[in-house]
Amino acid sequence: MIDVLVVDDDFRVAEINAKYVGKVPGFRVVARAHSAAQALAAVERAPVDLVLLDHYLPDRTGLELVHHMREQGHGTDVIMITAASDVVTVRAAMRLGALHYLVKPFTFAALRTRLDSYAALRRTVDRVGGRGVAGQDQVDRIFGALRTAPAPLSPGLPRGHSEPTTDLICGVLHRSGRPLSAHEVAAETGLSRSTAQRYLRHLEQAGRLRLSLRYGDTGRPEHRYAWVAP
């Protein structure tokens, strides 16, 4: 399990974010904090794998907290979740090593995509060998694990299609590394097979996916879809 600390000055938002995290397999919230001081105390009290961090905190900014954590030797991973969208703050977050930056308001699908990519990063690092020496191809896989599927443009969606659902399906295919059937996509996303098939057909027609056929014993081909890099 990946242990998560949720940091937000708004108690209600912190609770919502914690519930979102709890819905993603492999993640669990071990603590909540509503100030930088509380967050630092939580990190020092017990090991935490990931901090979901707001920037606007009552005692210091989230980035000031990250800087202090690094000075104290805490290498805890950070994903920023904040309403701060100015370029200066975003660039500062990158320089301090934030792995993702999610601007409020956001959907559950958007957060799940980033959590899934973080989990993929950890699995990739484990396969490479943790502290071992990595070759260029392994380094590329580590950095590639953090990439998230770009969200489709709303004008391109037909009637009855939602952007969060499209984003969720794109994320699953983007991370799979292999073609998936509608049944497999439905199982990964929790959608019905018919809904998954409808979205997959649209994404294939839009050039976002590549369709291939796999023939089984029945003679009826199975449609399989693979992510096409933009």
Side-chain angles (χ1 to χ4, degrees):
M1 295 293 289
I2 295 174
D3 292 335
V4 180
L5 167 63
V6 174
V7 184
D8 199 292
D9 66 322
D10 188 317
F11 284 71
R12 183 180 58 86
V13 172
E15 181 64 24
I16 292 173
N17 291 351
K19 288 182 178 179
Y20 277 174
V21 173
K23 293 167 67 176
V24 182
F27 289 82
R28 65 183 175 191
V29 175
V30 295
R32 299 175 182 81
H34 308 292
S35 68
Q38 291 178 4
L40 184 60
V43 170
E44 292 178 339
R45 185 167 54 247
V48 175
D49 298 309
L50 176 66
V51 178
L52 300 185
L53 181 60
D54 188 16
H55 182 59
Y56 297 122
L57 300 174
D59 46 353
R60 64 168 69 180
T61 67
L63 293 186
E64 288 173 343
L65 171 61
V66 176
H67 182 70
H68 183 70
M69 287 169 53
R70 299 298 184 246
E71 286 185 330
Q72 297 299 310
H74 298 295
T76 307
D77 293 323
V78 174
I79 293 178
M80 299 296 297
I81 299 182
T82 176
S85 58
D86 59 283
V87 175
V88 172
T89 302
V90 174
R91 290 185 65 185
M94 293 173 62
R95 288 170 178 152
L96 286 171
L99 297 178
H100 282 298
Y101 197 106
L102 191 57
V103 179
K104 297 178 181 177
F106 58 91
T107 64
F108 167 65
L111 176 60
R112 176 167 185 167
T113 297
R114 285 150 182 83
L115 292 179
D116 284 346
S117 73
Y118 174 71
L121 169 66
R122 289 172 61 92
R123 290 193 299 269
T124 302
V125 171
D126 288 342
R127 286 197 297 268
V128 169
R131 295 180 180 272
V133 177
Q136 184 62 56
D137 59 333
Q138 294 171 319
V139 171
D140 290 341
R141 284 200 295 272
I142 291 172
F143 275 84
L146 278 176
R147 298 188 188 120
T148 55
L153 297 176
S154 297
L157 294 178
R159 184 182 299 275
H161 286 63
S162 73
E163 194 165 326
T165 301
T166 304
D167 187 43
L168 178 62
I169 291 176
C170 286
V172 167
L173 286 159
H174 177 70
R175 293 185 300 274
S176 70
R178 63 181 181 86
L180 298 178
S181 66
H183 177 76
E184 291 171 319
V185 171
E188 287 286 333
T189 59
L191 300 169
S192 69
R193 187 184 182 282
S194 61
T195 298
Q197 183 65 63
R198 179 159 51 89
Y199 277 80
L200 290 168
R201 188 179 300 112
H202 164 69
L203 289 167
E204 187 268 328
Q205 292 173 349
R208 301 289 297 278
L209 305 178
R210 182 178 63 255
L211 173 64
S212 60
L213 301 178
R214 187 174 73 176
Y215 290 87
D217 296 334
T218 63
R220 184 176 181 178
E222 179 185 53
H223 289 202
R224 302 182 68 81
Y225 299 86
W227 177 255
V228 177

